[in-house]
Amino acid sequence: MGDQVILPTAYAAERWTDFGVGVAGASAALAGLVFVAVSINLSKILEYRNLPGRAALTLYLFVTPLVVGILLLVPGQSGTALGGELLAAGLVFAGSELVINQRAGRSDKETLLTWALVRLLPIIVNSGCLILAGATLLARAAFAFGLVNAWVLLVEIMR
């Protein structure tokens, strides 16, 4: 293997395409199921102040892996591009979900603890993992660029 560079599987986007297909298909089906459930029960959902927001958050929880699956399927994209896309998607989803959650408020039956566990924790885990994945892909690229710059500053400058 001498001078061949082997990328760890976690950072080789092309190795995740089959996973992306599965995740995109499953999450699209589940998002569709939520959409149908909301459509059928819309009048009942609208009777409660916090349920429309909760329905939107549930849809976001299934749309997030759908978007990630689609991003993994973009042919020939670099790890840096994928990292930027994942980071941006995570930030957009987190921001949107937090706004929806804040507007929906808490129901009278939710304690602060149950509200945090059921409403905030999924947002933090869902978007946090996405942000972390994107950031680590970008950090890996930044590390590579840093090595190149260090080489220039230490070796090439002497030529």
Side-chain angles (χ1 to χ4, degrees):
M1 294 198 189
D3 57 350
Q4 182 182 7
V5 176
I6 299 173
L7 293 175
T9 301
Y11 291 103
E14 67 278 357
R15 293 189 179 196
W16 287 88
T17 54
D18 289 342
F19 180 75
V21 169
V23 166
S27 59
L30 291 169
L33 181 64
V34 170
F35 189 80
V36 169
V38 169
S39 298
I40 291 171
N41 297 306
L42 186 59
S43 60
K44 277 303 242 188
I45 290 170
L46 291 175
E47 290 177 14
Y48 300 91
R49 184 177 77 88
N50 68 321
L51 284 185
R54 212 157 170 186
L57 288 173
T58 304
L59 195 56
Y60 264 89
L61 290 173
F62 291 125
V63 169
T64 301
L66 173 63
V67 169
V68 171
I70 291 169
L71 292 175
L72 287 172
L73 296 174
V74 175
Q77 88 177 311
S78 69
T80 304
L82 179 60
E85 293 165 357
L86 293 176
L87 181 63
L91 291 170
V92 167
F93 282 128
S96 301
E97 291 172 21
L98 288 171
V99 167
I100 290 169
N101 200 26
Q102 187 271 333
R103 288 183 180 170
R106 257 186 2 194
S107 77
D108 298 335
K109 297 178 182 177
E110 289 178 302
T111 67
L112 185 56
L113 178 63
T114 59
W115 180 80
L117 289 174
V118 173
R119 304 272 210 92
L120 287 182
L121 188 61
I123 295 169
I124 293 166
V125 172
N126 193 39
S127 297
C129 289
L130 193 53
I131 291 166
L132 184 63
T136 58
L137 277 169
L138 291 175
R140 189 170 181 272
F143 185 72
F145 290 130
L147 287 175
V148 169
N149 286 341
W151 177 261
V152 168
L153 292 170
L154 292 172
V155 177
E156 295 296 324
I157 199 166
M158 298 305 284
R159 292 183 184 205

